[in-house]
Amino acid sequence: MFWTPTLLWLLVGALLCLAELFLPTAFVAFILGLSAFAVAGCSLVLPYVNLQIFLWMVFSTVFVLLSRRLIPKGKAWAIADSDEAKTLTEIPPGESGRVIYEGNSWQARCEDASTAIPPNQNVIVVGRKGTTLIVLPEHLLHS
């Protein structure tokens, strides 16, 4: 088979774009693949492989930097400090129970492992650990 630099760049570009499907690279492999496709086009008029490799590095750097500007920066969702919730079930000492918070049922655990919270009590959400809210009874904060 007759391998030309253009064919090799097309193959590298296809492999890098395909790698994005299987590896979580935040679109970096895809961008590198697009850069390889751009160099494949340039290799039709630039016969020097060293120059093609340099061009691929430049294209890759520029494309990655440009793609970072186009991707919106999402804010990490965090629970605001001191939000109110209401217990649905009892929260035994050191164990989990259920609370209603912002209209949804959440698993919750009391921050004070020695305190039990009865059902239908107002609590304050002081944090979150995974999908479990960390709460304190309202009367502990107001006393």
Side-chain angles (χ1 to χ4, degrees), residues 1-14 37 40 43-44:
M1 181 180 248
F2 186 69
W3 292 98
T4 63
T6 304
L7 185 60
L8 288 174
W9 283 113
L10 288 173
L11 181 65
V12 167
F37 289 140
S43 69
L44 296 172

Side-chain angles (χ1 to χ4, degrees), residues 33-114:
L34 291 180
S35 300
F37 289 140
V39 172
C42 294
S43 69
L44 296 172
V45 292
L46 294 172
Y48 306 109
V49 176
N50 290 341
L51 183 58
Q52 292 171 8
I53 293 171
F54 176 74
L55 207 56
W56 178 71
M57 290 188 301
V58 170
F59 282 162
S60 296
T61 303
V62 170
F63 289 171
V64 166
L65 292 176
L66 287 176
S67 72
R68 294 297 175 225
R69 289 179 169 235
L70 297 176
I71 297 173
K73 293 181 178 157
K75 294 181 181 177
W77 187 83
I79 292 178
D81 291 340
S82 297
D83 277 343
E84 290 185 19
K86 189 171 215 157
T87 57
L88 292 173
T89 64
E90 179 184 8
I91 301 177
E95 295 183 29
S96 296
R98 305 286 306 171
V99 297
I100 190 86
Y101 173 73
E102 292 187 349
N104 295 314
S105 174
W106 287 72
Q107 184 174 356
R109 182 181 298 264
C110 185
E111 186 174 50
D112 181 9
S114 63

Side-chain angles (χ1 to χ4, degrees), residues 17-18 73 75 78 92-93 108 120 124 128 131:
C17 288
L18 191 62
K73 293 181 178 157
K75 294 181 181 177
N120 296 320
I124 304 296
R128 183 179 75 157
T131 59

